[in-house]
Amino acid sequence: PPLPPQQQAQQQQQPPPPQQLPYQHQVSTASTTSSSSLAPGMSVASQTAAATPPAVTPPPSGGGVVPNPKSRITARMEDKVLVTRTADEETEDGRIRNREAMAKIRDAWVYKQVRARVNEFTEYKQSLIFVGTWNVNAKGKEESLDEWICKDWGNDGRYSPDIVAVGFQEIVDLNAVNVAVDNKTQQRSQYWADQLRQTLNSPKRLQQQQNNQQEQGYALIMQRSMVGLLVCLFVKAPHRHRCKAVASDSVGVGVMGMMGNKGGVSVRLQFYDSTICFVCSHLAAHRENVAGRNADFFNVLQKVSFDIGDEAVRENIRNGSMSQWASGSSSVGISDHDIVFWLGDLNYRIDESMPTETVVDLAVKGHIDQLRPLDQLNIERREGRVFQGFEEGQINFVPTYKYQPGTDVFEQRPEKKLRAPAWCDRILWMSQEPKHVQQITYNRSERPNCSDHKPVYSTLRATIKDVVVERREAIYKELLGLLDRFENQSLPMVGLDRVELDFGEIRYEQSITLPIHVTNTGNVCAQFRFVPKLDENSLCKPWMTVTPTYGMLIPGESPATINVTVTIDNHTAQLLNAGREVLDDILILRLENGRDYYITVSGTFARSCFGMSLDELVLYKDPIRTIPLDAIERAVLYPSANPSNALCIPKELWRMVDAIYEKGLQTPDLFAIPGKPAEVAQIREALDTGTPFSSPATIHSYVECFTSFLTSLSVPVVPTNLFPMVEINSENIQSMSRKFLEDLPPVHYNVLVYVMSFFREVLIYRESNNLTAAKLARICCKFCSPTPPNVIMDSSMVQRRAGMHLMILHLLETSSI
């Protein structure tokens, strides 16, 4: 096909955030009367008994990131798979039951009712929490911490927080000896803990608290360290007796995925009757290693475990938390808490699409509005790839890294490597009840300044639970009495409004949900759960989700709704296109002490060119939707489909490039603005069906469709095994580029040449579209050889990928192809 120029790759240049009110940088004086039911001197407001929680408006998310409640890490208990330690047993009459499962489901139903009535036995208090983080860069000269730790206290200390949690990173040099032996960590941890204790309990602070008729001082509740990481938790003295189930843990995710040069340390406690967790982490470095940071976050999130004992878990659940019964464990994880604070040197930088020199210039001038949309953490959060469910206040301060130690000047000395300033140091939070946390301040401190990082701090107002035990036990007694009237009368029976789910035709990147309504048709409680098929471990195939996976209905209760969702993501599409998967499955719904119900699930994949291989795409001139998925049927209908009659490049690729060319390569911000989802879906449908592009879609939608087509290929245009094995320099770049082209499979060679030729056409209009050869080379590498999700690249692979980028840039700027 003749060459039309082609597409854009998304450099993650995001649109500016919506207009938001800046945070006040002074603690509000509202709601600060002392509570008579808390210990004297608590510097927070108290709600009256059984009052509803205050309607606190949560702060806006940083950089315009709006958390999606459906993507919260803290999943409802009904959505977790029920785990039993005992096997199912079969009775003499052929019925199957599991007494442990029945007991857990019964308890879960009770606590579901309790949670709905939690306001009947809970009082709510307002408490101030201070959270601070600082990468000290292995420094530690005697320097006051007052400006950082105590800035929000007010002149007379009346706004002193009830909880102080401070995290440090790099308290020791992260050299091989310290990482392996960890021999200086204890000494440096004690130094910083003493510094914090002296700051919080200085004579000036104690006098301020005495003047405000508060009990004096802060007590260190727990500290945890690991190599360069340290987190310290202090609580104001009047509340010390209301802190229990205090625990800590550490997780190393550094060298070999386990060493402590990177990772997280965490502490947790039950403060009155709210469970609070603080996680201090230091994630993977280097500007380009976003996937490594994301993977480190999930490693810490999944591996941290606090063994607080069965009794503490039971008490938390009886107070209205339902997150533990599915696992039946005496341990809790990070997301099992009412409130989670995540702080530390998260190491997210400004996206590479902006040159380092530009970032430095904007940071020096304080033009943070131009930097915020390119903050990697907010980009990843917006895409749902990391910190799901967490919130962060808008950043209204200049980047906190990298400075000349001891100064307020960004590091630009000629003998030092120039690094782009970034907001590496962050504080986020997650609450099961979003309205229960309100951020008051979020800022950086100019002192101390001995490190190349600036300290960051935040003061937040949290709604704390205080359970009235007598009222709680009365509700339990009422619920258990209700259950007793229905249990042990006869066998359970349920009715399902459907046992066959036909999802019809499902398209690429489409999700369809069908409900099943379960009704208790008997006279006793009906406990049900989904179980795996024989010799299988999963309830269903990966492309299907079921929520909830278990439940309980009493007679006369409204029917329960079970939602079955089928999603065709790129991995599933690749399997379907290759004939290694079909949209057919069977769900088994087990009625405890009763029968099993078999639910058949079926659907038809509307075949798409997305998720296919280049070698197969060039075989067919007809629309890909008409090509059968079955190999035998395909061979009968297309006996002449062989490589000798193949196209040079996929026709779908030509159509997209041609459309982009017609729309105008001079369009500003090409490859920087995302397309509209509805338009992208229409373009993809036209490609799959062979119909004309009917809708007046924007060029950005065609560009996004083009880039997603390249990244969706089952085998990338440039396989990673062809990345250069040696360092690329000016002497070998021409020979290595030629060898790379010679090693490419024929179709991949054609596609790469086509894409490169298109990019050269794009560069003709560089003055209008703001693109450069370097940017397009990065785009080409990103989409022609995408990094698999959640894969951490080792240093050698990072170097090889950098070499490939140089070769692509060389091919763009020369006439080698």
Side-chain angles (χ1 to χ4, degrees), residues 34-101:
S34 64
S35 166
S36 60
S37 60
L38 292 181
M42 184 173 188
S43 60
V44 291
S46 169
Q47 299 297 321
T48 57
T52 56
V56 178
T57 303
S61 298
V65 178
V66 180
N68 181 359
K70 295 183 179 180
S71 68
R72 299 188 65 83
I73 299 174
T74 51
R76 296 181 306 147
M77 189 189 75
E78 299 96 320
D79 296 341
K80 296 183 178 180
V81 176
L82 183 65
V83 177
T84 59
R85 299 174 182 173
T86 59
D88 295 347
E89 58 184 50
E90 186 173 357
T91 61
E92 293 182 357
D93 56 0
R95 289 181 290 114
I96 297 175
R97 65 184 178 187
N98 187 305
R99 296 183 185 275
E100 181 187 357

Side-chain angles (χ1 to χ4, degrees), residues 552-565:
M552 173 171 160
L553 293 168
I554 64 173
E557 187 176 355
S558 299
T561 300
I562 298 172
N563 290 314
V564 180
T565 302

Side-chain angles (χ1 to χ4, degrees), residues 663 674-686 693 695-702 705:
K663 289 286 182 179
K676 299 178 180 179
E679 293 181 355
V680 172
Q682 292 173 356
I683 295 170
R684 191 164 50 229
E685 184 70 8
F693 297 133
S695 64
T698 64
I699 187 172
H700 301 295
S701 297
Y702 284 98
C705 206

Side-chain angles (χ1 to χ4, degrees), residues 563-681:
N563 290 314
V564 180
T565 302
V566 172
T567 302
I568 306 297
D569 58 16
N570 190 61
H571 177 67
T572 301
Q574 290 179 2
L575 295 177
L576 291 167
N577 279 322
R580 300 198 302 270
E581 181 62 286
V582 291
L583 297 182
D584 287 304
D585 202 5
I586 295 177
L587 297 173
I588 302 177
L589 181 65
R590 177 158 295 165
L591 187 61
E592 297 298 337
N593 205 29
R595 55 164 289 196
D596 287 347
Y597 296 82
Y598 296 89
I599 303 170
T600 61
V601 178
S602 62
T604 303
F605 175 50
R607 194 170 194 189
S608 174
C609 60
F610 290 74
M612 293 183 64
S613 68
L614 291 173
D615 287 6
E616 185 175 10
L617 283 169
V618 298
L619 293 177
Y620 307 107
K621 298 180 181 179
D622 293 337
I624 206 66
R625 183 69 53 80
T626 64
I627 309 301
L629 288 168
D630 182 79
I632 298 177
E633 184 179 354
R634 192 165 60 242
V636 172
L637 293 178
Y638 295 90
S640 61
N642 59 72
S644 62
N645 299 323
L647 301 169
C648 294
I649 62 169
K651 57 187 178 302
E652 295 83 2
L653 177 61
W654 181 89
R655 290 189 64 190
M656 287 184 287
V657 170
D658 185 60
I660 297 169
Y661 183 83
E662 292 298 328
K663 289 286 182 179
L665 299 182
Q666 68 275 15
T667 304
D669 296 323
L670 205 59
F671 290 91
I673 299 178
K676 299 178 180 179
E679 293 181 355
V680 172

Side-chain angles (χ1 to χ4, degrees), residues 212-260:
N212 283 287
Q213 298 181 349
Q214 300 177 7
E215 291 190 28
Q216 300 181 29
Y218 286 85
L220 177 62
I221 299 299
M222 174 67 73
Q223 69 181 67
R224 182 75 180 221
S225 60
M226 179 186 67
V227 190
L229 284 168
L230 169 66
V231 60
C232 297
L233 178 63
F234 292 84
V235 171
K236 193 176 285 185
H239 314 311
R240 179 67 182 87
H241 69 289
R242 293 303 303 271
C243 300
K244 54 184 176 180
V246 181
S248 66
D249 192 20
S250 60
V251 171
V253 298
V255 181
M256 297 183 294
M258 59 181 290
M259 301 301 287

